[in-house]
Amino acid sequence: MIDIRYSAEVAAARAEGRPIVALESTIITHGMPAPRNLEVARGVEALIRDGGATPATIAVMDGRLHVGLEPAELDALGHASDVAKLSRADLAACLATGGTGATTVAATMIAARLAGIAVFATGGIGGVHKGAETSFDISADLQELGQSPVTVVAAGAKAILDLPKTLEVLETLGVPVIAFGQDDFPAFWSPSSGLAAPLRMDDPAAIARAHLMRGAMGLPGGQLVANPIPAGDAIPAETLAPIIAQAQARADAQGVSAKAVTPFLLQAIFEATDGRSLESNIALVENNARLAARIAHAIGSEAGK
Ligand code: PSU
Ligand code: MN
């Protein structure tokens, strides 16, 4: 029924049982401006191959769920206009109506589960937005982490979100939040949010064993691996705080809501930092891709023990 289209390299990796790392496509279509978006998408795929794993960029094209995009398909997605942003609520409807859309963290996790892919690399997850107590804006990414068995490697969550509330919701949903190699929960553009992460692991093999243990216990849901941005690529939180506040105020004043909030804030911050936020964003995504490839390998070798 679900006609999954695998790219040639993903099909080969599946047949041979080699490690695969899923990648989302909303970051390409809604998260980064052209033409850097496509360069980054290709570069991140190359880093995963360098790490000995196979990249599977996920998107819906003409009503078909693609797990792994051929180079021409990736180009087509990067150049297409009016690509839908697909979260859990939209994915089946897009497939059923022959649409084209990019997958968020939530939708990418669903596709990864269907394809049997355990590990997924991205930039930052969606979370609880500032002012959620009145707007109710809480990303479906959090619920998905509570239900789909995928280990997601992200640089924490953006400072555009309410990080304490985001961590509280993840705890409520039973999602392990694992800081990699440090005690603090990272804050996307900064290595530390000033908040302690609930868990810390320093070794991809430990993350792999925890992933497998959840499966063995029949626990639904995934893990969030929070991988700090390399210090040299970070933007100090003090520099960003007023910029974020201003972007948020503009979003509120213009009545930006629902799916449009995250892309609006990202673009406003990109402009206010003269593009520096994008350079940091690229560096952290690359860093996450490298770690995800190591975790995917470790899951393969730990599963065989
Ligand atoms: N964080 C980023 N870049 C992004 C996103 C988050 O640094 O492009 C995207 C991801 O696809 C994430 C989505 O799943 O935004 C969350 O959107 P929302 O808050 O509308 O759920
Ligand atoms: Mn939202």
Side-chain angles (χ1 to χ4, degrees):
M1 255 298 281
I2 311 169
D3 180 16
I4 298 183
R5 298 295 166 101
Y6 293 101
S7 63
E9 66 175 329
V10 171
R14 280 167 54 84
E16 294 163 25
R18 287 188 276 111
I20 301 172
V21 174
L23 296 165
E24 63 156 303
S25 44
T26 294
I27 195 171
I28 304 170
T29 55
H30 295 72
M32 292 185 185
R36 295 299 300 280
N37 58 348
L38 268 180
E39 291 167 33
V40 174
R42 292 190 203 103
V44 167
E45 289 196 345
L47 281 172
I48 288 170
R49 290 186 196 103
D50 292 347
T54 299
T57 301
I58 290 172
V60 176
M61 303 188 78
D62 301 322
R64 275 185 289 271
L65 182 58
H66 287 253
V67 175
L69 296 177
E70 302 297 346
E73 292 168 342
L74 186 59
D75 278 2
L77 186 74
H79 289 112
S81 53
D82 291 333
V83 178
K85 174 178 161 184
L86 306 176
S87 189
R88 165 173 269 258
D90 321 285
L91 188 55
C94 186
L95 289 168
T97 57
T100 292
T103 52
T104 62
V105 168
T108 304
M109 290 181 75
I110 293 169
R113 171 176 60 77
L114 292 169
I117 300 172
V119 182
F120 162 23
T122 186
I125 60 158
V128 181
H129 278 265
K130 291 183 172 150
E133 57 275 28
T134 51
S135 70
F136 280 49
D137 189 350
I138 302 176
S139 176
D141 292 354
L142 301 183
Q143 295 268 7
E144 204 58 51
L145 280 159
Q147 357 189 352
S148 286
V150 179
T151 287
V152 178
V153 183
K158 285 205 186 61
I160 59 176
L161 300 171
D162 186 321
L163 297 185
K165 287 193 182 71
T166 299
L167 287 173
E168 289 291 352
V169 170
L170 286 166
E171 182 184 275
T172 301
L173 296 171
V175 178
V177 177
I178 305 164
F180 184 67
Q182 67 178 30
D183 294 328
D184 279 9
F185 185 64
F188 200 78
W189 294 291
S190 321
S192 172
S193 61
L195 302 165
L199 297 165
R200 168 187 176 150
M201 292 185 190
D202 293 29
D203 175 12
I207 296 168
R209 285 194 298 274
H211 176 100
L212 293 166
M213 185 61 74
R214 288 181 66 86
M217 296 176 79
L219 287 172
Q223 307 188 108
L224 176 61
V225 175
N227 187 30
I229 186 172
D233 297 307
I235 306 177
E238 315 80 75
T239 308
L240 277 175
I243 290 171
I244 291 169
Q246 206 175 26
Q248 183 71 57
R250 263 176 56 200
D252 293 344
Q254 294 180 30
V256 179
S257 67
K259 287 170 187 292
V261 174
T262 298
F264 180 95
L265 293 174
L266 290 180
Q267 179 63 23
I269 293 165
F270 169 74
E271 288 165 15
T273 59
D274 292 324
R276 191 170 162 209
S277 65
L278 177 62
E279 300 311 316
S280 296
N281 198 339
I282 293 169
L284 66 85
V285 173
E286 292 176 346
N287 192 44
N288 296 342
R290 283 186 285 263
L291 178 57
R294 294 172 64 196
I295 296 169
H297 264 282
I299 288 178
S301 44
E302 293 290 331
K305 282 184 182 165

